[in-house]
Coordinates of all heavy atoms in Angstrom, one line a residue:
M36 N -5.4 15.7 7.3 CA -6.0 15.6 5.9 C -5.5 16.8 5.1 O -5.4 17.9 5.5 CB -7.5 15.5 6.0 CG -8.2 15.2 4.7 SD -7.9 13.5 4.1 CE -9.1 12.6 5.0
S37 N -5.2 16.5 3.8 CA -4.8 17.6 2.9 C -5.6 17.5 1.6 O -6.4 16.6 1.4 CB -3.3 17.4 2.6 OG -3.1 16.3 1.8
D38 N -5.3 18.4 0.7 CA -6.0 18.4 -0.6 C -5.3 17.3 -1.5 O -5.9 17.0 -2.5 CB -5.9 19.8 -1.3 CG -6.8 20.8 -0.6 OD1 -7.7 20.4 0.2 OD2 -6.5 22.0 -0.7
G39 N -4.1 16.9 -1.1 CA -3.4 15.9 -1.9 C -3.6 14.5 -1.3 O -4.6 14.2 -0.7
A40 N -2.6 13.8 -1.5 CA -2.6 12.4 -0.9 C -2.4 12.4 0.6 O -1.7 13.3 1.1 CB -1.5 11.6 -1.5
D41 N -3.1 11.5 1.2 CA -3.0 11.4 2.7 C -2.3 10.0 2.9 O -2.8 9.0 2.4 CB -4.3 11.4 3.3 CG -4.3 11.2 4.8 OD1 -3.3 11.8 5.4 OD2 -5.2 10.6 5.4
I42 N -1.1 10.0 3.5 CA -0.3 8.8 3.6 C -0.2 8.5 5.1 O 0.3 9.3 5.9 CB 1.0 9.0 2.9 CG1 0.8 9.3 1.5 CG2 1.9 7.7 3.1 CD1 2.1 9.7 0.7
K43 N -0.5 7.3 5.5 CA -0.5 6.9 6.9 C 0.3 5.5 7.0 O 0.0 4.6 6.2 CB -1.9 6.7 7.4 CG -1.9 6.3 8.9 CD -3.3 6.1 9.4 CE -3.4 5.6 10.8 NZ -4.7 5.4 11.3
I44 N 1.2 5.5 7.9 CA 1.9 4.2 8.2 C 1.1 3.5 9.3 O 0.9 4.0 10.4 CB 3.3 4.5 8.7 CG1 4.1 5.5 7.8 CG2 4.1 3.2 8.9 CD1 4.3 5.0 6.4
A45 N 0.6 2.3 8.9 CA -0.2 1.5 9.8 C 0.8 0.8 10.8 O 1.9 0.3 10.3 CB -1.0 0.5 9.1
G46 N 0.4 0.8 12.0 CA 1.3 0.1 13.0 C 1.4 -1.4 12.6 O 0.4 -2.1 12.4
N47 N 2.6 -1.9 12.4 CA 2.9 -3.3 12.1 C 2.1 -3.7 10.8 O 1.6 -4.8 10.7 CB 2.6 -4.2 13.2 CG 3.4 -3.9 14.4 OD1 4.6 -3.6 14.3 ND2 2.9 -4.1 15.6
G48 N 2.0 -2.8 9.9 CA 1.2 -3.0 8.7 C 1.6 -2.2 7.5 O 2.7 -1.7 7.5
P49 N 0.7 -2.1 6.6 CA 1.0 -1.4 5.3 C 1.1 0.1 5.4 O 0.8 0.7 6.4 CB -0.1 -1.9 4.4 CG -1.3 -2.0 5.3 CD -0.7 -2.5 6.6
I50 N 1.4 0.7 4.3 CA 1.3 2.2 4.1 C 0.0 2.4 3.4 O -0.3 1.9 2.3 CB 2.4 2.7 3.2 CG1 3.8 2.4 3.8 CG2 2.3 4.1 2.9 CD1 5.0 2.5 2.9
L51 N -0.9 3.2 4.1 CA -2.2 3.5 3.5 C -2.2 4.8 2.8 O -1.8 5.8 3.4 CB -3.2 3.5 4.7 CG -3.3 2.3 5.5 CD1 -4.2 2.5 6.8 CD2 -3.8 1.1 4.7
V52 N -2.7 4.8 1.6 CA -2.7 6.0 0.7 C -4.1 6.3 0.3 O -4.8 5.4 -0.2 CB -1.8 5.8 -0.5 CG1 -1.7 7.1 -1.3 CG2 -0.4 5.4 -0.1
S53 N -4.5 7.5 0.5 CA -5.9 7.9 0.1 C -5.8 9.4 -0.4 O -4.8 10.0 -0.3 CB -6.9 7.8 1.3 OG -6.5 8.6 2.3
G54 N -7.0 9.9 -0.8 CA -7.0 11.3 -1.3 C -6.6 11.3 -2.8 O -6.9 10.3 -3.5
A55 N -6.1 12.4 -3.2 CA -5.7 12.6 -4.6 C -4.3 12.1 -4.8 O -3.3 12.7 -4.4 CB -5.8 14.1 -4.9
F56 N -4.2 10.9 -5.4 CA -2.9 10.4 -5.8 C -3.0 9.6 -7.1 O -4.1 9.3 -7.6 CB -2.5 9.4 -4.6 CG -3.3 8.1 -4.5 CD1 -3.0 7.0 -5.3 CD2 -4.4 8.1 -3.7 CE1 -3.7 5.8 -5.2 CE2 -5.2 6.9 -3.6 CZ -4.8 5.8 -4.3
A57 N -1.9 9.4 -7.7 CA -1.7 8.5 -8.9 C -0.7 7.5 -8.6 O 0.3 7.8 -7.9 CB -1.4 9.4 -10.1
L58 N -0.9 6.3 -9.1 CA 0.1 5.3 -8.9 C 0.6 4.9 -10.3 O -0.2 4.6 -11.2 CB -0.5 4.1 -8.2 CG 0.4 2.9 -8.0 CD1 1.6 3.2 -7.0 CD2 -0.4 1.7 -7.4
T59 N 1.9 4.9 -10.5 CA 2.5 4.5 -11.8 C 3.2 3.2 -11.6 O 4.0 3.0 -10.7 CB 3.5 5.6 -12.2 OG1 2.8 6.9 -12.3 CG2 4.1 5.3 -13.6
G60 N 3.0 2.3 -12.6 CA 3.6 1.0 -12.5 C 5.1 1.0 -13.0 O 5.5 2.1 -13.5
E61 N 5.8 -0.1 -12.8 CA 7.2 -0.1 -13.2 C 7.3 0.1 -14.7 O 8.4 0.4 -15.2 CB 7.9 -1.4 -12.7 CG 7.3 -2.7 -13.3 CD 8.0 -3.9 -12.7 OE1 9.0 -3.8 -12.1 OE2 7.4 -5.0 -12.8
D62 N 6.3 -0.1 -15.5 CA 6.3 0.1 -16.9 C 6.0 1.5 -17.3 O 6.0 1.9 -18.5 CB 5.3 -0.9 -17.6 CG 3.9 -0.6 -17.2 OD1 3.6 0.3 -16.3 OD2 3.0 -1.3 -17.7
G63 N 5.9 2.4 -16.3 CA 5.6 3.8 -16.5 C 4.2 4.1 -16.8 O 3.8 5.3 -17.1
Q64 N 3.3 3.1 -16.8 CA 1.9 3.3 -17.1 C 1.1 3.5 -15.8 O 1.5 2.9 -14.8 CB 1.3 2.2 -17.9 CG 2.0 1.9 -19.2 CD 1.9 3.2 -20.1 OE1 0.8 3.7 -20.3 NE2 3.0 3.7 -20.7
P65 N 0.1 4.4 -15.9 CA -0.7 4.5 -14.7 C -1.5 3.3 -14.3 O -1.9 2.5 -15.2 CB -1.7 5.7 -15.0 CG -1.7 5.7 -16.5 CD -0.4 5.2 -17.0
V66 N -1.5 3.0 -13.0 CA -2.3 1.9 -12.5 C -3.7 2.4 -12.3 O -3.9 3.4 -11.6 CB -1.7 1.3 -11.2 CG1 -2.5 0.1 -10.7 CG2 -0.3 0.8 -11.5
T67 N -4.7 1.8 -12.9 CA -6.1 2.2 -12.8 C -6.9 1.3 -12.0 O -6.5 0.2 -11.6 CB -6.7 2.4 -14.3 OG1 -6.6 1.1 -14.9 CG2 -5.9 3.4 -15.1
D68 N -8.2 1.6 -11.9 CA -9.1 0.8 -11.1 C -8.7 0.6 -9.7 O -8.8 -0.5 -9.2 CB -9.4 -0.5 -11.8 CG -10.1 -0.3 -13.2 OD1 -10.8 0.7 -13.4 OD2 -9.8 -1.1 -14.1
L69 N -8.1 1.6 -9.1 CA -7.7 1.5 -7.7 C -8.9 1.9 -6.8 O -9.7 2.7 -7.1 CB -6.5 2.5 -7.4 CG -5.3 2.2 -8.2 CD1 -4.3 3.3 -8.0 CD2 -4.7 0.8 -7.7
N70 N -8.8 1.3 -5.6 CA -9.8 1.7 -4.5 C -9.4 3.1 -4.1 O -8.3 3.5 -4.2 CB -9.7 0.7 -3.4 CG -10.2 -0.6 -3.7 OD1 -11.2 -0.8 -4.5 ND2 -9.6 -1.7 -3.2
P71 N -10.4 3.8 -3.4 CA -10.1 5.2 -2.9 C -8.9 5.2 -1.9 O -8.2 6.1 -1.8 CB -11.4 5.6 -2.3 CG -12.4 4.8 -3.0 CD -11.8 3.5 -3.3
T72 N -8.8 4.1 -1.2 CA -7.6 3.9 -0.3 C -6.9 2.7 -0.7 O -7.5 1.6 -0.8 CB -8.1 3.8 1.2 OG1 -8.7 5.0 1.6 CG2 -6.9 3.6 2.1
I73 N -5.6 2.8 -0.9 CA -4.8 1.6 -1.2 C -3.9 1.3 0.0 O -3.5 2.2 0.7 CB -4.1 1.7 -2.5 CG1 -3.1 2.9 -2.5 CG2 -5.0 1.8 -3.7 CD1 -2.1 2.9 -3.7
A74 N -3.5 0.1 0.1 CA -2.5 -0.4 1.1 C -1.3 -0.9 0.4 O -1.4 -1.9 -0.3 CB -3.2 -1.4 2.0
L75 N -0.2 -0.3 0.6 CA 1.1 -0.7 0.0 C 1.9 -1.5 1.0 O 2.1 -1.1 2.2 CB 1.9 0.5 -0.5 CG 1.2 1.4 -1.5 CD1 2.0 2.7 -1.8 CD2 0.9 0.6 -2.8
C76 N 2.4 -2.6 0.6 CA 3.1 -3.5 1.4 C 4.5 -2.9 1.8 O 5.2 -2.3 1.0 CB 3.4 -4.8 0.7 SG 4.4 -6.0 1.6
R77 N 4.8 -3.0 3.1 CA 6.1 -2.6 3.5 C 6.8 -3.7 4.3 O 7.9 -3.5 4.7 CB 6.1 -1.3 4.4 CG 5.4 -1.4 5.7 CD 5.5 -0.1 6.5 NE 4.8 -0.1 7.7 CZ 5.3 0.3 8.9 NH1 6.6 0.7 8.9 NH2 4.6 0.2 10.0
C78 N 6.2 -4.8 4.3 CA 6.9 -6.0 5.0 C 7.7 -6.8 4.0 O 8.6 -7.6 4.4 CB 5.9 -6.8 5.7 SG 4.9 -7.9 4.7
G79 N 7.3 -6.7 2.7 CA 8.0 -7.5 1.7 C 7.5 -8.9 1.5 O 8.0 -9.7 0.7
L80 N 6.4 -9.3 2.2 CA 5.9 -10.6 2.2 C 4.7 -10.8 1.3 O 4.3 -11.9 1.0 CB 5.5 -11.1 3.6 CG 6.7 -11.1 4.6 CD1 6.2 -11.3 6.0 CD2 7.7 -12.1 4.2
S81 N 4.1 -9.7 0.8 CA 2.9 -9.8 0.0 C 3.1 -10.6 -1.3 O 4.2 -10.4 -2.0 CB 2.4 -8.4 -0.3 OG 1.2 -8.5 -1.2
A82 N 2.2 -11.4 -1.7 CA 2.2 -12.1 -3.0 C 1.6 -11.2 -4.1 O 1.6 -11.6 -5.2 CB 1.5 -13.4 -2.9
N83 N 1.2 -10.0 -3.7 CA 0.5 -9.1 -4.7 C 1.1 -7.7 -4.6 O 0.5 -6.7 -4.6 CB -1.0 -9.0 -4.4 CG -1.8 -8.3 -5.4 OD1 -1.4 -8.3 -6.6 ND2 -2.8 -7.6 -5.0
K84 N 2.5 -7.7 -4.6 CA 3.2 -6.4 -4.5 C 2.9 -5.5 -5.7 O 2.7 -6.1 -6.8 CB 4.7 -6.6 -4.4 CG 5.1 -7.3 -3.1 CD 6.6 -7.5 -3.2 CE 7.1 -8.3 -2.0 NZ 6.9 -9.8 -2.3
P85 N 2.7 -4.3 -5.5 CA 3.1 -3.5 -4.3 C 2.0 -3.4 -3.3 O 2.2 -2.7 -2.3 CB 3.4 -2.1 -4.9 CG 2.4 -2.0 -6.0 CD 2.3 -3.4 -6.6
F86 N 0.9 -4.1 -3.5 CA -0.2 -4.0 -2.5 C -0.1 -5.0 -1.4 O 0.5 -6.1 -1.5 CB -1.5 -4.3 -3.3 CG -1.7 -3.3 -4.4 CD1 -1.5 -3.7 -5.7 CD2 -2.0 -2.0 -4.2 CE1 -1.7 -2.9 -6.8 CE2 -2.2 -1.1 -5.2 CZ -2.0 -1.5 -6.5
C87 N -0.6 -4.6 -0.3 CA -0.6 -5.5 0.9 C -1.7 -6.5 0.7 O -2.8 -6.2 0.2 CB -1.0 -4.6 2.1 SG -1.4 -5.6 3.6
D88 N -1.4 -7.8 1.0 CA -2.4 -8.8 0.9 C -2.7 -9.4 2.3 O -3.4 -10.4 2.4 CB -2.0 -9.9 -0.1 CG -0.8 -10.7 0.4 OD1 -0.2 -10.4 1.5 OD2 -0.4 -11.7 -0.3
G89 N -2.3 -8.8 3.3 CA -2.6 -9.2 4.7 C -1.6 -10.2 5.2 O -1.7 -10.6 6.4
T90 N -0.6 -10.6 4.4 CA 0.4 -11.6 4.9 C 1.2 -11.1 6.1 O 1.5 -11.9 7.0 CB 1.3 -12.0 3.8 OG1 0.6 -12.5 2.7 CG2 2.3 -13.1 4.2
H91 N 1.4 -9.8 6.2 CA 2.1 -9.3 7.3 C 1.5 -9.7 8.7 O 2.2 -10.1 9.6 CB 2.2 -7.7 7.3 CG 0.9 -7.1 7.4 ND1 0.0 -6.8 6.4 CD2 0.2 -6.7 8.6 CE1 -1.1 -6.3 6.8 NE2 -1.0 -6.2 8.2
S92 N 0.2 -9.8 8.7 CA -0.5 -10.2 9.9 C -0.4 -11.6 10.2 O -0.1 -12.0 11.3 CB -2.0 -9.8 9.7 OG -2.7 -10.1 10.9
S93 N -0.6 -12.5 9.2 CA -0.6 -13.9 9.4 C 0.8 -14.4 9.7 O 1.0 -15.4 10.4 CB -1.1 -14.7 8.2 OG -0.4 -14.4 7.0
E94 N 1.8 -13.6 9.3 CA 3.2 -14.0 9.5 C 3.8 -13.3 10.8 O 4.9 -13.5 11.2 CB 4.1 -13.6 8.4 CG 3.9 -14.4 7.1 CD 4.2 -15.9 7.3 OE1 5.2 -16.2 7.9 OE2 3.4 -16.7 6.8
G95 N 3.0 -12.5 11.4 CA 3.4 -11.8 12.7 C 4.5 -10.8 12.5 O 5.2 -10.5 13.4
W96 N 4.5 -10.2 11.3 CA 5.5 -9.2 11.0 C 5.3 -7.9 11.9 O 4.2 -7.5 12.2 CB 5.4 -8.7 9.5 CG 6.4 -7.7 9.1 CD1 7.7 -7.9 8.8 CD2 6.2 -6.3 9.0 NE1 8.3 -6.7 8.5 CE2 7.4 -5.7 8.6 CE3 5.1 -5.5 9.2 CZ2 7.5 -4.3 8.4 CZ3 5.2 -4.1 9.0 CH2 6.4 -3.5 8.6
T97 N 6.4 -7.4 12.4 CA 6.3 -6.1 13.1 C 7.3 -5.1 12.5 O 8.3 -5.5 11.9 CB 6.7 -6.3 14.6 OG1 8.1 -6.7 14.7 CG2 5.8 -7.4 15.3
S98 N 7.0 -3.9 12.7 CA 7.8 -2.8 12.2 C 9.0 -2.5 13.0 O 9.8 -1.6 12.7 CB 7.0 -1.6 11.9 OG 6.4 -1.1 13.1
A99 N 9.1 -3.1 14.2 CA 10.2 -2.7 15.1 C 11.5 -3.2 14.6 O 11.6 -4.1 13.9 CB 9.9 -3.4 16.5
Ligands
FES44 S1 2.4 -5.0 4.7 FE1 0.8 -6.3 4.4 S2 1.6 -8.0 3.3 FE2 3.2 -6.6 3.5

């Protein structure tokens, strides 16, 4: 744990970000109303990118 963002790679799942962080959208504007911990998709299958929507699990995606 640090004073800044805590970033964890979930096994066969998303990138979990918590702590002190800011997320900026592709339009350069801050993304607000975020949960204290966000899950960012790394499988490419989410219908709600950049966030994980759980599709990695239902599709059996693995990080290997
Ligand atoms: S990591 Fe969960 S949908 Fe991509």
Side-chain angles (χ1 to χ4, degrees):
M36 188 68 82
S37 71
D38 291 338
D41 183 33
I42 302 172
K43 179 181 177 184
I44 309 296
N47 300 326
I50 299 167
L51 303 172
V52 183
S53 61
F56 68 89
L58 181 64
T59 302
E61 63 185 341
D62 61 359
Q64 297 301 308
V66 178
T67 59
D68 296 328
L69 295 171
N70 291 326
T72 298
I73 61 171
L75 299 175
C76 177
R77 68 177 175 129
C78 73
L80 300 172
S81 174
N83 188 32
K84 294 181 189 78
F86 303 103
C87 169
D88 67 357
T90 303
H91 66 271
S92 181
S93 62
E94 293 296 320
W96 180 81
T97 66
S98 59

